[in-house]
Amino acid sequence: MAQRSHRRQTGQLITPDGAPCDGVDQVHVSGAISLPVSADVLWELLSEPVNIASWMSELHAWTGTTPDRVDADLELAAQVQMFDMLHDVCLVVTEYRHTRSWTMTCGTVAGIALGFTIELDRLRDNSRVTLRTGLHGQVLREADEVVLRHALQVGLDSNLRQLADIADPDAITCRPPVAVVPHPG
């Protein structure tokens, strides 16, 4: 069962354009899955935009040209689904560590910033993928925290299941997603 995530009325979010945004609400969820698949195979699923679209439930479609691989400072035009609506957005890769992790942020929906972080750990007999999703914005002050956290967790759980199905549908070792501990402000 997911632990309670922490929501703050204060903090600082750095938006994709690099500008600080003070006084925002934040909700974060996280989950991990271990798969008996090589880290190289998983990295292909995690870093190629065409593959990302096959497991990331929030991503409705790429709307612009996409490169073969995610990389630092990459900007991708996409449609994402938030709050049962499709939004045309620009996803920006704000952090990138080759074959290890990337973070994509979306700050183009008024009052909301969305972040996705992917981390890959190479283990002895399998590989572990950790997904983190964060939603930030002053608009969230009016939202029901429990409903919002649940919606984020459902999306993250779906992403993990889809990734597992694509990576190796017959041999999955999965541990339930767990909420992230508090993030420093």
Side-chain angles (χ1 to χ4, degrees):
M1 182 53 97
Q3 298 173 353
R4 183 175 178 90
S5 65
H6 293 269
R7 181 177 181 180
R8 296 188 302 252
Q9 294 278 334
T10 60
Q12 188 174 60
L13 168 71
I14 304 300
T15 60
D17 63 1
C21 181
D22 292 320
V24 297
D25 285 341
Q26 302 179 21
V27 177
H28 299 270
V29 294
S30 177
I33 189 167
S34 294
L35 299 166
V37 177
S38 78
D40 294 335
V41 168
L42 277 179
W43 186 247
E44 299 297 314
L45 292 172
L46 298 172
S47 66
E48 293 179 1
V50 68
N51 290 332
I52 294 168
S54 67
W55 60 263
M56 185 181 279
S57 63
E58 298 85 359
L59 180 62
H60 181 70
W62 298 116
T63 57
T65 57
T66 57
D68 292 337
R69 180 114 22 231
V70 169
D71 204 350
D73 300 321
L74 179 68
E75 295 185 16
L76 296 163
Q79 278 188 333
V80 295
Q81 186 169 350
M82 280 191 279
F83 309 117
D84 294 326
M85 295 184 297
L86 291 178
H87 300 273
D88 291 318
V89 300
C90 178
L91 295 171
V92 179
V93 179
T94 55
E95 295 177 31
Y96 182 82
R97 289 179 30 207
H98 182 67
T99 70
R100 292 277 308 167
S101 67
W102 56 258
T103 298
M104 233 185 251
T105 60
C106 165
T108 51
V109 177
I112 299 173
L114 183 62
F116 305 99
T117 299
I118 307 301
E119 291 180 3
L120 176 62
D121 294 308
R122 298 167 188 263
L123 306 173
R124 186 173 47 194
D125 295 330
N126 58 14
S127 302
R128 182 177 53 238
V129 177
T130 303
L131 304 181
R132 290 184 182 84
T133 302
L135 193 57
H136 315 267
Q138 294 173 339
V139 158
L140 303 179
R141 289 184 180 166
E142 303 302 319
D144 182 317
E145 176 184 354
V146 174
V147 171
L148 186 58
R149 186 172 56 286
H150 176 74
L152 284 175
Q153 193 69 54
V154 166
L156 187 129
D157 292 349
S158 173
N159 291 345
L160 289 170
R161 280 191 304 277
Q162 287 288 90
L163 185 58
D165 288 346
I166 293 165
D168 190 352
D170 297 323
I172 300 169
T173 306
C174 179
R175 79 179 156 93
V178 190
V180 168
V181 291
H183 293 275

